[in-house]
Amino acid sequence: MELGRYGQREILDTAIIDYVTGKPFMYMDYANAATNEWSADVTYATGGSGAPRRISFFGNKQSTLTIETQIFTMRHLAMIAGRSIESGKMDIFKHEVVTVTENAGKKVITLKKTPLDLKTITVLKFENGVATNEVTPTVISNNEVELTSADVLNGEEVEVFYQFKTVKDAHKLSFTSKDFPKYVKIIGDTQFADEVAGDLVSAQLIYYKARLQPNFTLNLSPTGDPTSISLVFDIFPQKVNGEDTLADLIMYDE
């Protein structure tokens, strides 16, 4: 292909590859923006009247790739946490406000889930939207819990805190103090617009060694813009054809 004059207004679709095994584990074609920043330190030798700059010295070349996405998976968070996702039956904390009913002279409440055991249940009288005295649960039968009759009346509301075990496998990601992101390889696909030819030219950026910064913010709000996660990768050099290479840009015809 002939080289031309280009403009760029397209996202970078990225494949994330395990640096050690070389196996891809994630592909992102839904990010909002990708920004590749480059920087280096410049030091000058000066001399003569007025101390003008005579020679410049470069060093400490750095690059970061920042990917902004409003769509994410647990694998994105697992990359940041530096942990694997665990799957299996999990204990879940739940809160409900329910009405007491009377059955064969016993005061019972019916919950949405079956509590683990009596030790994990806390029942409070709920009057005018405020929790007051604690009510003692005595027996669990599936999702029905019998209460001490003297503490509560038929038709009253109670606030219930309890735990239940999931029926289907759930997925858990632990954020620990000792785990951090691992090294990865990133291959990104994008397109450039050729001003003269009027065609779109395919381009591929290859970052041979990168590591995700462990800093992130997860906004939980019912208003405003959706949560956007910033994935900031530090780019490191890798020997490619004998040279320390931070990234390669390849432009090609399909």
Side-chain angles (χ1 to χ4, degrees):
M1 62 171 285
E2 297 291 333
L3 292 177
R5 299 192 307 194
Y6 303 109
Q8 212 286 334
R9 193 174 184 268
E10 186 54 85
I11 189 59
L12 187 71
D13 294 332
T14 51
I16 311 296
I17 299 168
D18 189 289
Y19 181 76
V20 175
T21 65
K23 293 184 177 181
F25 68 89
M26 181 187 299
Y27 186 74
M28 295 179 60
D29 60 356
Y30 42 78
N32 296 94
T35 306
N36 188 191
E37 295 186 1
W38 296 82
S39 65
D41 292 341
V42 185
T43 303
Y44 301 95
T46 62
S49 178
R53 294 173 176 176
R54 300 288 183 175
I55 305 172
S56 63
F57 302 91
F58 299 121
N60 192 28
K61 182 175 282 188
Q62 299 180 41
S63 178
T64 59
L65 174 66
T66 302
I67 299 174
E68 299 280 349
T69 179
Q70 292 180 336
I71 306 297
F72 56 91
T73 69
M74 282 195 76
R75 286 195 171 189
H76 290 86
L77 302 181
M79 272 201 307
I80 299 171
R83 296 274 294 189
S84 297
I85 300 169
E86 301 175 45
S87 299
K89 306 298 188 295
M90 304 284 178
D91 293 346
I92 304 297
F93 180 86
K94 191 166 180 60
H95 165 266
E96 291 183 46
V97 175
V98 296
T99 301
V100 178
T101 60
E102 190 167 347
N103 186 2
K106 299 177 180 179
K107 305 295 174 50
V108 299
I109 53 175
T110 302
L111 303 174
K112 294 180 180 178
K113 302 292 182 179
T114 299
L116 290 179
D117 51 49
L118 289 172
K119 294 179 181 179
T120 64
I121 303 176
T122 299
V123 182
L124 302 170
K125 293 185 70 172
F126 200 64
E127 300 173 335
N128 298 321
V130 178
T132 56
N133 299 331
E134 186 169 351
V135 182
T136 304
T138 56
V139 178
I140 297 176
S141 177
N142 294 322
N143 63 330
E144 286 193 348
V145 179
E146 184 180 333
L147 305 177
T148 303
S149 298
D151 293 339
V152 68
L153 299 176
N154 182 34
E156 288 186 336
E157 285 189 327
V158 291
E159 187 174 36
V160 188
F161 302 88
Y162 66 101
Q163 292 183 58
F164 70 93
K165 188 174 291 293
T166 59
V167 177
K168 297 180 180 179
D169 283 352
H171 309 286
K172 182 177 74 172
L173 176 62
S174 296
F175 293 86
T176 70
S177 59
K178 66 180 181 65
D179 293 300
F180 293 96
K182 299 178 181 179
Y183 288 101
V184 297
K185 179 180 180 180
I186 302 173
I187 299 178
D189 290 313
T190 189
Q191 290 181 321
F192 288 77
D194 189 315
E195 178 193 13
V196 177
D199 296 329
L200 290 176
V201 179
S202 296
Q204 189 164 88
L205 276 159
I206 304 172
Y207 303 94
Y208 294 94
K209 186 179 183 182
R211 195 178 194 187
L212 186 60
Q213 293 182 8
N215 312 310
F216 81 107
T217 301
L218 186 62
N219 294 313
L220 307 172
S221 173
T223 60
D225 293 331
T227 290
S228 182
I229 291 183
S230 296
L231 304 171
V232 183
F233 293 90
D234 291 317
I235 308 302
F236 297 88
Q238 175 74 40
K239 286 289 184 184
V240 180
N241 298 325
E243 290 190 295
D244 281 334
T245 304
L246 290 165
D248 279 334
L249 170 62
I250 303 172
M251 303 187 73
Y252 63 97
D253 285 329
E254 290 285 358

